Amino acid sequence: MSDEVGLPEAVSMAIGGMVGGGIFAVLGVVAGAAGTLAWAAFVVAGVLAVCAGYSLLRLNGLCESPRSPVGYVGKFTDNTTLSGVVGWTFVFGYVGTMAMYAYAFGGYFVELTGVSTVASVSIQPFVSALTVAAFVGLNVFGAHASGRAEDLLVGLKVAILLLFGLGGVAYGATHGGLGFGLSNVGIGPLVAAAVSFVAFEGWELLLFDQENIADPRETVRKAIYISIAGATALYILVALVTTNLAGIDAIQQHAETALAVAAQPFLGQAGYVLISVAALFSTGSAINATLFSSARLSKRLVADDLLPSRLRDESTDEPIRPLLTLGVLAAGFAFLGSLDAISSFASLAFISIFGGLSLLAFRERENLQTTVIPAVGTVGALGSAVALLWHLFDAERGTFWTVLALAVVVVGVEVLYFERETIADEVQSAERRVENEL
């Protein structure tokens, strides 16, 4: 039997990387910005994700052999530094998403167990950090243990979410119907779409692992489109049910557990527990899938001298040092950050990446289709970034400065690493000039 990944497994991998963040980690934040039009925010973000997916697949098809998104930048710009910056931004974006998933996991764990403090100290940050540590340990045992866990987690969470969504629609239809909130059209859904962009992170992981996929060009193409469409449909369904049954006030008060609150009207306390358990499976699945793939991405970046060589471990084929490094960073973010700050930072990272790669695809245009779709992805990403920052500055000034500080630190670290030789040469030249003047 072949060990290569087929279409069903590829779709499962992509959905496993997406759904945990979109439903359980950011829905409360999205609903807070868009209200009952939260479903529309996911439509907008889904369209931009499809444009980004098309752009990356277009670049992949222009390569002689399948490459990763980092490889596209190197091939089409011939700029190693820019390629490395994109690779680092991917890594930091994945750290942010893992922290977001872990934060949501901690929130649901606290609500489900009813234990929020010990000795007057909140246990949620500790639960979040320990969750990341647990999945680091799972991945240290290797791909087989991680892969088996992922298959189980994805199946369970999708089944429970479908039960929630379809049950909620049936309940709403017999209790006054579900409102789409079309009378509240405004800028809210556009801002919320920017916040929800991280909900569509995950499909691009397939492009980093094409050597293990059967007929990679065709399988990856189908899996990306199927997974984005499926995730968007699920997000719309769940957002519609949640905002109608839980209500915007309840969502804002319980942003981290909004779905569980929405399940109570038609499933009772059992529904609250069921959705909370699904949230643990879902966010755990997303941590596992993202950690697994980002560690292997980091290993490749080390091999290409795009990450420090100290992360290389010659004693094993498993990326142990990247796993530990990513785990420490994600646990630290989850322990110290807020849900708004973490999700906004992660969204901004992926908006920047997908917008930049869409621009790269636009440069390689040949006809109307290869012009319009990447152009929509580029302009949409730029508009999303502006909308996100404007919203944070206007409504959440503290979160704005936190996200801006994180972005500056990340860009600063990247520039210092890739320009370290140039900076060192300039410092030495300055020292020699000073010595000569003396």
Side-chain angles (χ1 to χ4, degrees):
M1 180 181 293
S2 174
D3 290 332
E4 291 185 323
V5 173
L7 180 60
E9 294 81 5
V11 172
S12 177
M13 289 168 60
I15 289 179
M18 282 191 285
V19 173
I23 295 299
F24 296 105
V26 300
L27 180 57
V29 179
V30 172
T36 51
L37 280 172
W39 64 270
F42 286 117
V43 172
V44 174
V47 170
L48 295 180
V50 169
C51 292
Y54 174 87
S55 297
L56 269 67
L57 289 168
R58 161 82 175 149
L59 295 172
N60 194 49
L62 290 174
C63 297
E64 297 80 8
S65 59
R67 295 194 183 197
S68 73
V70 176
Y72 308 153
V73 179
K75 175 178 174 57
F76 295 107
T77 68
D78 196 27
N79 188 321
T80 303
T81 296
L82 184 58
S83 181
V85 167
V86 170
W88 276 55
T89 305
F90 263 118
V91 171
F92 279 111
Y94 290 138
V95 167
T97 56
M98 285 188 287
M100 182 180 68
Y101 303 145
Y103 194 98
F105 185 101
Y108 271 96
F109 181 88
V110 167
E111 291 295 327
L112 187 61
T113 60
V115 179
S116 59
T117 61
V118 173
S120 300
V121 176
S122 173
I123 68 168
Q124 179 176 340
F126 297 94
V127 172
S128 298
L130 288 173
T131 300
V132 175
F135 280 103
V136 169
L138 178 64
N139 276 268
V140 165
F141 283 105
H144 296 296
S146 175
R148 286 194 295 269
E150 179 62 15
D151 290 340
L152 174 63
L153 292 171
V154 171
L156 283 171
K157 72 180 178 184
V158 170
I160 294 176
L161 285 171
L162 284 174
L163 172 64
F164 167 82
L166 297 176
V169 169
Y171 178 87
T174 57
H175 291 75
L178 299 178
F180 288 87
L182 296 178
S183 61
N184 299 320
V185 173
I187 195 173
L190 298 179
V191 172
V195 177
S196 70
F197 205 86
V198 70
F200 291 89
E201 175 279 318
W203 54 266
E204 80 289 343
L205 294 171
L206 296 177
L207 292 163
F208 287 109
D209 199 29
Q210 294 182 76
E211 66 270 18
N212 295 319
I213 297 177
D215 189 11
R217 291 194 192 275
E218 188 65 16
T219 300
V220 170
R221 183 184 66 82
K222 290 180 179 178
I224 286 177
Y225 289 136
I226 291 171
S227 62
I228 293 176
T232 303
L234 190 59
Y235 293 165
I236 292 170
L237 177 64
V238 173
L240 188 63
V241 170
T242 302
T243 53
N244 275 271
L245 299 188
I248 302 304
D249 291 339
I251 290 174
Q252 291 176 337
Q253 293 174 11
H254 306 279
E256 299 159 24
T257 57
L259 269 72
V261 173
Q264 286 183 302
F266 65 98
L267 292 176
Q269 185 61 27
Y272 185 94
V273 173
L274 180 67
I275 296 302
S276 296
V277 171
L280 298 181
F281 281 125
S282 185
T283 50
S285 167
I287 294 170
N288 185 57
T290 308
L291 183 62
F292 179 86
S293 298
S294 59
R296 280 149 183 79
L297 167 61
S298 299
K299 181 180 178 180
R300 294 181 186 182
L301 294 177
V302 172
D304 294 337
D305 195 31
L306 297 178
L307 278 177
S309 59
R310 292 183 181 181
L311 292 176
R312 182 182 292 113
D313 192 343
E314 303 292 351
S315 63
T316 178
D317 290 333
E318 293 295 323
I320 303 300
R321 290 183 181 178
L323 277 170
L324 295 175
T325 302
L326 293 171
V328 168
L329 290 173
F333 272 34
F335 188 88
L336 298 173
S338 67
L339 183 59
D340 283 348
I342 295 170
S343 59
S344 296
F345 169 76
S347 283
L348 187 60
F350 286 103
I351 287 171
S352 301
I353 292 171
F354 293 145
L357 289 169
S358 293
L359 177 60
L360 194 58
F362 176 78
R363 290 177 52 187
E364 303 298 323
R365 62 192 181 276
E366 295 178 351
N367 53 43
L368 183 62
Q369 177 176 304
T370 58
T371 299
V372 172
I373 299 178
V376 172
T378 303
V379 174
L382 178 61
S384 295
V386 172
L388 175 58
L389 293 174
W390 175 85
H391 167 70
L392 293 178
F393 182 81
D394 181 63
E396 302 177 41
R397 195 68 55 88
T399 301
F400 169 81
W401 291 116
T402 299
V403 171
L404 187 62
L406 286 171
V408 169
V409 169
V410 168
V411 173
V413 169
E414 292 173 352
V415 171
L416 286 175
Y417 180 80
F418 290 106
E419 298 298 326
R420 61 192 185 281
E421 294 181 358
T422 301
I423 294 173
D425 290 342
E426 291 179 355
V427 170
Q428 291 176 359
S429 298
E431 290 177 345
R432 285 194 294 268
R433 287 197 298 269
V434 171
E435 291 175 354
N436 291 336
E437 291 174 359
L438 294 176

